[in-house]
Amino acid sequence: MAGELVTVAEYLNSIQAEMAKQVLEDFHIPAVIVGGNAGDGRIGFIESIKLQVKQADAEEAKQILEDQEHGHEPEAYEVGDETDEADEPYDPEKEQ
């Protein structure tokens, strides 16, 4: 991944970091995970896991992650309008 990387989120759980990475990649924002749960000899010390993206993608990535954290569907995941076929009852005659 060319360009300077910046941290857009930090996690203590690798599963959360992987899920956030996948969300960003679903929006075509390449992301990398840096760090992990590692001790340095001190009891109770846990290194945070950083999710990083290119600097040019940082603001969009932060907004997507924030929307997801607050339970909002990011724009690309929003359900279609009222004319969406998925909202209509199944009619087998339409398939013929």
Side-chain angles (χ1 to χ4, degrees):
M1 188 181 314
E4 183 179 341
L5 296 178
V6 295
T7 299
V8 292
E10 292 187 41
Y11 302 92
L12 295 176
N13 179 314
S14 62
I15 294 171
Q16 290 174 327
E18 287 291 342
M19 289 173 58
K21 179 179 186 260
Q22 184 60 53
V23 167
L24 294 180
E25 290 179 348
D26 287 347
F27 282 88
H28 307 287
I29 299 176
V32 295
I33 294 173
V34 179
N37 292 337
D40 69 349
R42 291 182 278 169
I43 296 175
F45 176 77
I46 298 177
E47 180 183 344
S48 65
I49 301 167
K50 296 177 175 143
L51 183 61
Q52 297 185 333
V53 299
K54 290 185 217 175
Q55 189 167 11
D57 295 330
E59 289 305 314
E60 182 181 6
K62 286 178 186 178
Q63 186 63 53
I64 290 167
L65 295 174
E66 184 179 315
D67 287 348
Q68 181 195 35
E69 182 180 321
H70 294 295
H72 303 347
E73 290 184 3
E75 193 172 306
Y77 286 148
E78 287 182 1
V79 179
D81 61 15
E82 291 110 35
T83 60
D84 190 352
E85 288 182 21
D87 293 337
E88 298 175 12
Y90 174 70
D91 184 357
E93 293 181 13
K94 283 187 176 181
E95 289 187 9
Q96 295 177 354

